[in-house]
């Protein structure tokens, strides 16, 4: 049995990268909650929130006369308010800003740290705008601290993503060809379902070369496929992926791919030859 030691740093780096993405998701969630609370005129405000969407809605509500009369006071009693369409435009802009953060979170999975860079630049602009519009006041100090924390977290995620890209893929024990072939029972090859469509948009979850065959585990729209040497041997359709396995017999070897809830894996004759942590 030949073995190659897996990188000890990978689990730690992947955990740090996921923590950065989690913090980005919290920004999306709490910003959306704060906007709902603001529109419903609740006095509650959650930290870990982007400032630009909140300030946009706050200004729009104020200048469209959406707050109670006591909010304005006597000095604004004769104020000419904007039409309601101004609030609608500001609300659309606020939603777009939140959507951009959400898109960054969605597409930053699988170590695509470029989207974290986009989120970092966007959040840095948000922080500058917060300082420009509200200044540095004692009542804002906690919000400033949380903005700084998000910036540090996203920066750490970008650095971690760069380190992950430089790491070699983890390798696990692989049985020697000679040893496996001695125990091979000759079983007919599994039937080919169809040739794999290489022109269709797909996501390769894992690939490996075993005993002269190229094994690919991929997802095409809602379908997960086991592809061997360009042919689909097994498939499963599911809108949401749950733990599963796809298998085929090739040249007397049992080849299996699947998802165990945490990792994508490729198995040959019940020996894992490749695996990869599936990030969100």
């Amino acid at each position: 049995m030949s073995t190659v030691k897996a990188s000890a740093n990978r689990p730690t780096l992947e955990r740090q990268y996921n923590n950065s993405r989690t913090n980005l998701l919290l920004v999306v969630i709490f910003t959306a909650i704060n906007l709902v609370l603001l529109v419903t005129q609740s006095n509650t405000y959650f930290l870990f929130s982007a400032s630009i969407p909140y300030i946009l809605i706050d200004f729009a509500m104020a200048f469209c006369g959406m707050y109670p009369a006591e909010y304005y006071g006597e000095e604004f009693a004769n104020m000419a308010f904007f039409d309601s369409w101004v609030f609608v435009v500001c609300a659309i802009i606020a939603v777009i800003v939140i959507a951009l953060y959400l898109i960054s979170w969605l597409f930053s999975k699988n170590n695509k740290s470029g989207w974290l860079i986009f989120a970092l630049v966007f959040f840095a602009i948000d922080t500058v705008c917060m300082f420009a519009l509200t200044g540095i006041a004692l009542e804002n100090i906690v919000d400033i601290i949380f903005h700084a924390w998000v910036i540090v977290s996203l920066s750490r995620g970008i650095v971690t993503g760069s380190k992950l890209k430089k790491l070699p893929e983890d390798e696990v024990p692989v049985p020697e060809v000679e040893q496996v072939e001695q125990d091979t029972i000759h079983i007919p090859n599994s039937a080919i379902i169809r040739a794999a469509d290489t022109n269709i948009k797909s996501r390769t979850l894992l690939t490996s070369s075993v005993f002269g065959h190229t094994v690919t585990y991929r997802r095409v729209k809602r379908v997960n496929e086991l592809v061997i040497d360009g042919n689909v041997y097994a498939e499963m359709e599911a809108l949401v992926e749950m733990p599963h396995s796809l298998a085929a017999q090739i040249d007397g070897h049992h080849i299996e791919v699947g998802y165990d809830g945490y990792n994508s894996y490729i198995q040959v004759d019940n020996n894992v030859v490749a695996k990869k942590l599936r990030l969100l």
Side-chain angles (χ1 to χ4, degrees):
M1 182 79 70
S2 61
T3 61
V4 179
K5 184 178 180 180
S7 171
N9 290 329
R10 183 176 292 277
T12 300
L13 293 175
E14 287 173 339
R15 185 168 58 252
Q16 292 175 353
Y17 185 81
N18 278 335
N19 286 341
S20 296
R21 293 188 67 240
T22 299
N23 287 335
L24 178 57
L25 180 60
L26 289 176
V27 169
V28 174
I29 293 173
F30 285 121
T31 302
I33 291 174
N34 281 339
L35 293 190
V36 173
L37 293 174
L38 179 61
V39 172
T40 57
Q41 299 185 24
S42 170
N43 293 324
T44 305
Y45 176 83
F46 289 96
L47 298 171
F48 238 94
S49 172
S51 297
I52 291 178
Y54 191 89
I55 293 172
L56 271 174
I57 297 298
D58 187 27
F59 281 5
M61 291 180 67
F63 288 102
C64 289
M66 298 176 66
Y67 283 120
E70 57 269 18
Y71 173 87
Y72 299 97
E74 294 181 359
E75 62 271 25
F76 295 103
N78 298 319
M79 178 178 177
F81 294 113
F82 293 130
D83 292 333
S84 58
W85 66 264
V86 174
F87 171 79
V88 173
V89 171
C90 290
I92 292 174
I93 295 173
V95 170
I96 290 173
V97 171
I98 296 174
L100 289 174
Y101 285 119
L102 180 61
I103 290 170
S104 298
W105 174 76
L106 287 171
F107 287 98
S108 63
K109 64 181 178 180
N110 297 325
N111 197 27
K112 295 178 181 177
S113 55
W115 286 98
L116 289 187
I117 296 175
F118 174 82
L120 175 61
V121 172
F122 217 61
F123 199 78
I125 294 173
D126 183 274
T127 304
V128 171
C129 290
M130 179 186 69
F131 284 137
L133 294 173
T134 65
I136 303 177
L138 184 60
E139 59 266 25
N140 296 332
I141 191 66
V142 178
D143 209 6
I144 292 172
I145 291 173
F146 272 93
H147 267 68
W149 170 250
V150 173
I151 289 174
V152 170
S153 175
L154 292 174
S155 300
R156 183 180 296 174
I158 294 167
V159 173
T160 301
S162 177
K163 291 180 180 179
L164 280 169
K165 289 177 181 178
K166 294 177 182 178
L167 286 178
E169 287 292 330
D170 288 346
E171 296 185 43
V172 292
V174 179
E176 299 290 352
V177 176
E178 293 79 11
Q179 179 183 345
V180 174
E181 288 182 345
Q182 290 175 359
D183 300 327
T184 297
I185 299 175
H186 294 287
I187 301 174
N189 287 351
S190 298
I192 296 173
I193 297 176
R194 64 179 175 276
D197 188 348
T198 57
N199 296 319
I200 195 170
K201 185 177 180 181
S202 65
R203 175 187 171 197
T204 299
L205 304 173
L206 197 59
T207 186
S208 182
S209 180
V210 292
F211 302 122
H213 298 284
T214 299
V215 179
T216 301
Y217 175 38
R218 71 174 193 167
R219 184 169 176 82
V220 181
K221 297 182 180 179
R222 298 182 180 182
V223 180
N224 286 40
E225 297 179 341
L226 164 59
V227 180
I228 303 175
D229 297 333
N231 295 311
V232 178
Y233 280 85
E235 62 182 359
M236 180 202 74
E237 182 175 359
L239 177 61
V240 179
E241 288 186 90
M242 301 295 289
H244 63 273
S245 64
L246 304 171
Q249 286 291 142
I250 300 294
D251 295 343
H253 297 290
H254 181 79
I255 299 177
E256 179 182 323
V257 301
Y259 172 58
D260 62 11
Y262 299 96
N263 304 287
S264 296
Y265 66 86
I266 296 177
Q267 261 185 200
V268 178
D269 300 328
N270 296 321
N271 293 287
V272 177
V273 298
K275 69 176 180 179
K276 184 177 182 181
L277 180 66
R278 290 275 292 277
L279 303 177
L280 295 175

